[in-house]
Amino acid sequence: MQLAEVVSTWSKDPSTKVGAVITKNKRVISLGFNGFATGVGDHTHRYEDREFKYPAILHAEVNALLFAKSDLQDCTIYTYPMPPCAQCAAKIIQTGIKKVISIRPSKELMDRWGKDMSIANSMYADAGVSLTFMGE
C-alpha cells in the first residue's frame, strides 16, 4: 500500500491523485497512476476542465492493467487513496485479479462516489473477488 501511495504522487491531476500496484506472490507486476494517455498533452488547464478531463483521463487501475502485459490471474491490486470505481472493478474482474486491497473511503468520498463503489462491491461479490481495507 505504501508503494501505491508513492505512485499516486506521480499523477499530475491537482485534485485527485490515485496510485495502483499489481502484485503476485509478493512481486510487483505493474504500477499505474491516473493521467492522460501517452502523447496527450498533460497540461494543467486540461485537468481543470472537467468536460475534457473526465472522458479523457485513464484511472490508475486501468493504467496498471494496461502496462502489466502479462497474465494477471490470481494477482492482487492495491489502490490508494480509494477503492476502484465500478468501471475499473469490471476491468479488474475481467483480468482474473482475485484480491483488491484499498483504503476505506472517507465520508466525503462515500457521499460523492458511494453508489458507484456499492456497484463495484456487488460485482466483486458475484465474481468471487475479495475487497479488503487496510487495517481491518
Side-chain angles (χ1 to χ4, degrees), residues 77-98:
I77 187 167
Y78 294 82
T79 64
Y80 180 89
M82 65 188 77
C85 69
Q87 282 293 307
C88 288
K91 293 169 180 78
I92 288 166
I93 292 165
Q94 193 69 11
T95 66
I97 289 174
K98 293 298 180 193

Side-chain angles (χ1 to χ4, degrees), residues 93 120-129:
I93 292 165
N121 292 346
S122 175
M123 294 186 329
Y124 294 142
D126 288 351
V129 173

Side-chain angles (χ1 to χ4, degrees), residues 97-109:
I97 289 174
K98 293 298 180 193
K99 293 180 186 175
V100 177
I101 301 176
S102 192
I103 302 296
R104 181 167 294 282
S106 66
K107 181 183 178 335
E108 177 188 350
L109 280 174

Side-chain angles (χ1 to χ4, degrees), residues 2-135:
Q2 290 174 330
L3 183 54
E5 183 176 4
V6 169
V7 171
S8 75
T9 67
W10 300 346
S11 172
K12 292 184 180 177
D13 187 339
S15 67
T16 307
K17 294 181 181 297
V18 180
V21 177
I22 300 173
T23 66
K24 188 169 190 173
N25 300 325
K26 298 186 180 187
R27 297 189 74 146
V28 173
I29 303 297
S30 187
L31 308 170
F33 56 90
N34 58 309
F36 299 127
T38 302
V40 175
D42 228 4
H43 309 295
T44 304
H45 71 276
R46 286 187 164 170
Y47 286 107
E48 294 167 354
D49 178 356
R50 291 175 184 260
E51 287 184 32
F52 182 87
K53 174 181 150 177
Y54 285 142
I57 203 161
L58 289 167
H59 287 190
E61 301 90 337
V62 172
N63 268 327
L65 296 171
L66 291 170
F67 286 119
K69 306 231 188 282
S70 63
D71 180 17
L72 300 178
Q73 194 70 35
D74 300 321
C75 284
T76 299
I77 187 167
Y78 294 82
T79 64
Y80 180 89
M82 65 188 77
C85 69
Q87 282 293 307
C88 288
K91 293 169 180 78
I92 288 166
I93 292 165
Q94 193 69 11
T95 66
I97 289 174
K98 293 298 180 193
K99 293 180 186 175
V100 177
I101 301 176
S102 192
I103 302 296
R104 181 167 294 282
S106 66
K107 181 183 178 335
E108 177 188 350
L109 280 174
M110 287 304 293
D111 289 346
R112 189 168 179 194
W113 301 107
K115 183 175 180 180
D116 192 83
M117 290 179 195
S118 177
I119 292 168
N121 292 346
S122 175
M123 294 186 329
Y124 294 142
D126 288 351
V129 173
S130 69
L131 170 63
T132 304
F133 295 114
M134 289 296 292

